Amino acid sequence: MRGRLLAVLLLAGALSGCTLIGRGVACTQADMDSAVGVRWQPADFGGTDAAVVRVCVGERCAQRASGRSEDPFASLSVRLPDDVGDTTVPVRLTITSAEDGRVVVTDRVLARLTEQHPNGPSCPPTVWTAAYRAHPEQGLVSAVGTSPR
């Protein structure tokens, strides 16, 4: 009976990618891209879609309307090349009024990219990311520790 139990455990471990002796590694299949992300509270910038948020990382840019004022957060990311690696990249934020095009917030930072392994430490892909929050008075601030209300 013990022999069968051990055989079942070994088979289950092999099928799941794990073994009792640690040779196999279980990897999930999450996909992720290297990117710099910026999130904000739409209410900080007026009513629904009252502003246009533009984020540039080097020459790559993305923009969108600020979002519904009742949503706790909105976000935007600028995808980076897969092989960007451990580096620092220039990030520019510009928020303009959707009504009259007036610049509401502008800021620049040098972002240190952080290595991420969404499927586990020894599983692909390896991506490089940085995350910020767009603040109405302070511009780009660290997104670490921010969460929806």
Side-chain angles (χ1 to χ4, degrees):
M1 184 65 156
R2 284 187 204 182
R4 281 189 184 168
L5 179 58
L6 182 57
V8 169
L9 289 174
L10 288 173
L11 179 60
L15 291 174
S16 69
C18 299
T19 66
L20 294 177
I21 55 177
R23 281 194 252 155
V25 175
C27 294
T28 59
Q29 297 300 312
D31 194 22
M32 188 174 179
D33 295 318
S34 294
V36 172
V38 176
R39 65 182 180 170
W40 60 90
Q41 294 177 305
D44 285 347
F45 301 103
T48 297
D49 293 336
V52 176
V53 179
R54 181 175 175 86
V55 177
C56 296
V57 181
E59 299 302 315
R60 296 171 181 244
C61 298
Q63 74 178 37
R64 65 165 280 194
S66 56
R68 296 178 342 141
S69 56
E70 54 274 355
D71 289 342
F73 279 98
S75 65
L76 180 64
S77 65
V78 177
R79 189 167 188 262
L80 301 174
D82 291 332
D83 62 352
V84 68
D86 182 12
T87 191
T88 302
V89 294
V91 179
R92 293 183 321 272
L93 168 72
T94 307
I95 301 176
T96 57
S97 167
E99 183 179 319
D100 60 12
R102 174 181 48 89
V103 174
V104 178
V105 176
T106 185
D107 198 11
R108 295 173 183 253
V109 296
L110 285 175
R112 174 49 114 186
L113 300 178
T114 302
E115 186 175 3
Q116 304 287 324
H117 299 274
N119 294 311
S122 59
C123 301
T126 297
V127 298
W128 298 89
T129 64
Y132 290 91
R133 178 171 180 242
H135 188 276
E137 287 92 29
Q138 299 172 5
L140 290 167
V141 296
S142 174
V144 174
T146 60
S147 62
R149 292 180 234 181

